[in-house]
Amino acid sequence: MATTSADATSSTSTDDLHIRSTVVSDGAAMWTLAHECGLDLNSSYAYLVFAADFSATCRIALLDGEPVGYVLGYSPPERGDHVFVWQVAVSSRARGRGLARRMLDHLLDGHPEGTVLEATVEESNEASRALFAAVARARGGTLTWTDGVLAEHFPDEHPSEPRLQITGMGRPS
Ligand SMILES: CC(C)(COP(=O)(O)OP(=O)(O)OC[C@H]1O[C@@H](n2cnc3c(N)ncnc32)[C@H](O)[C@@H]1OP(=O)(O)O)[C@@H](O)C(=O)NCCC(=O)NCCS
């Protein structure tokens, strides 16, 4: 794998796979992938705004030029050293080849001020839990869980979203 220097604007490419930070025109593909992957779907406008204004903490992956994955993230203003991963999605045709982990590695390597990774993950989402456990393991970090967002916080039917935090991360092994 050829890897360029790790700043927020760098890209990581193999022959057919390309990972980079987002631009506004990626928002439409992010929305489409969120829909395809069965995630809680935000408005299309929300993905456009994130792709444009939170590009330091958002990533898109292109396989043969086609969008196949994204990370939607932000740094909470009061916790600038944290990166909250709101959504991560990989098209079913590109799963199981380390793509989600590579997007998160690309984000963390390109955003070194983000030393703590946060996300909320439903208890039933084994793939997502395995992904974050793999990131913690590979980067020598410590993963802890707290209650996060409880089912009773939601205005609609929604399972609880326990919150994870990964601290003490280094470069991936
Ligand atoms: C979760 C998701 C992003 C993982 O994408 P992916 O590119 O297939 O994941 P990776 O190949 O990078 O795998 C990362 C780790 O998770 C593990 N993993 C991935 N999918 C798994 C699954 N279904 N069951 C168990 N472990 C799984 C991998 O084995 C790997 O661990 P390892 O490094 O120890 O071998 C993808 O399944 C997806 O888009 N799901 C639907 C959307 C979703 O639920 N997103 C998360 C909530 S926002």
Side-chain angles (χ1 to χ4, degrees), residues 6-8 80-81 83 106-116 171:
D7 60 57
D81 57 340
V83 174
H106 191 273
L107 193 171
L108 291 166
D109 292 343
H111 188 69
E113 53 272 58
T115 57
V116 178
R171 297 280 293 188

Side-chain angles (χ1 to χ4, degrees), residues 37 39 86-90 95-101 125 127-128 130-131 134 137:
C37 294
L39 291 174
W86 187 348
Q87 291 184 333
V88 50
V90 171
R95 287 181 193 162
R97 50 188 287 176
L99 183 48
R101 216 193 99 187
N125 196 336
S128 187
L131 166 64
R137 200 164 48 245

